[in-house]
């Protein structure tokens, strides 16, 4: 007996914990250095509000990044993201610890990444997401590939997708439509 694979919507409906990579997902992937050698990253305000909407509707959020950056620490604090793991090169182990500590089964977790370092997590979550300009091996294995690029509204797109799949989108927008 063959069991039909779950659609992206069915997978998103189950998400209780959504984790994001940073470079290429929350940002456009560019690394800019200021005159003093400091790293400058640009984040999208729409993406940030999407993360807040997920949190307000019962979805926990987190970041797992291979790079270390005080800018990411600041952005996570601004957004109320409590799970922040940086300088992580073994994302699989970090994800497994995070899911266990959150008490969320892998099938109820989502991860959004763009490069092969993200595959060990993407292959274990119930809802794997990539951006259209992600590495081909990543986009090929994603359950959902956004239309918007990293740092250009891709995170907001997936946040809205999850809220719609969970029938929470209209309620999330209601305070802004009153």
């Amino acid at each position: 007996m063959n069991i039909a694979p779950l659609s992206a919507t069915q997978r998103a409906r189950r998400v209780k914990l959504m984790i994001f990579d940073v470079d290429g997902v929350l940002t456009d992937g560019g690394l800019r250095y200021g005159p003093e050698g400091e790293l400058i990253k640009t984040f999208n305000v729409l993406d940030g509000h999407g993360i807040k909407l997920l949190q307000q509707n019962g979805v926990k959020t987190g970041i797992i990044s291979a790079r270390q950056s005080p800018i990411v620490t600041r952005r996570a604090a601004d957004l109320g993201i409590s799970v922040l793991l940086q300088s992580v090169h073994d994302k699989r182990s970090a994800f497994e610890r995070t899911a266990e500590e959150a008490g969320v089964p892998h099938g109820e977790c989502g991860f959004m990444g763009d490069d092969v370092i993200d595959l060990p997590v993407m292959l274990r979550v119930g809802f794997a997401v990539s951006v259209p300009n992600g590495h081909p091996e990543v986009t090929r294995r994603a359950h959902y590939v956004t239309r918007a690029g990293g740092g250009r509204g891709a995170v907001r797109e997936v946040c809205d997708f999850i809220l719609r799949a969970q029938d929470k989108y209209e309620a999330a927008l209601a305070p802004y439509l009153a």
Side-chain angles (χ1 to χ4, degrees):
M1 178 170 94
N2 289 337
I3 298 174
L6 296 175
S7 70
T9 300
Q10 290 169 317
R11 290 173 175 282
R13 187 173 296 131
R14 298 176 170 186
V15 172
K16 291 185 174 59
L17 170 63
M18 187 67 199
I19 302 170
F20 303 92
D21 178 36
V22 176
D23 296 320
V25 172
L26 285 165
T27 73
D28 66 6
L31 299 176
R32 295 162 192 87
Y33 292 92
E36 303 298 319
E38 71 277 16
L39 182 61
I40 300 166
K41 296 178 187 252
T42 303
F43 297 95
N44 185 299
V45 70
L46 293 175
D47 290 348
H49 195 74
I51 289 171
K52 298 296 280 181
L53 289 173
L54 280 184
Q55 294 165 347
Q56 292 165 8
N57 285 276
V59 177
K60 298 174 185 175
T61 58
I63 290 174
I64 299 178
S65 179
R67 297 180 61 85
Q68 175 72 38
S69 171
I71 296 165
V72 174
T73 303
R74 168 78 187 268
R75 184 64 172 154
D78 288 349
L79 295 176
I81 296 173
S82 56
V83 176
L84 173 61
L85 302 171
Q86 297 188 81
S87 294
V88 175
H89 298 285
D90 180 0
K91 290 189 177 188
R92 180 191 56 80
S93 294
F95 159 71
E96 289 176 353
R97 281 192 314 274
T98 298
E100 184 177 332
E101 289 170 8
V104 179
H106 293 187
E108 296 176 3
C109 294
F111 185 82
M112 186 170 184
D114 70 322
D115 206 346
V116 295
I117 191 173
D118 300 317
L119 286 173
V121 179
M122 293 178 71
L123 295 173
R124 285 167 175 76
V125 297
F127 184 51
V129 182
S130 186
V131 293
N133 57 326
H135 189 281
E137 295 298 330
V138 175
T139 59
R140 187 165 64 89
R141 289 170 172 83
H143 302 122
Y144 182 82
V145 177
T146 61
R147 288 179 293 282
R152 305 263 189 258
V155 168
R156 178 56 174 271
E157 181 181 330
V158 80
C159 291
D160 288 352
F161 186 84
I162 292 168
L163 291 170
R164 283 187 178 99
Q166 296 182 0
D167 295 321
K168 297 177 181 177
Y169 185 75
E170 294 302 323
L173 289 185
Y176 307 103
L177 302 174

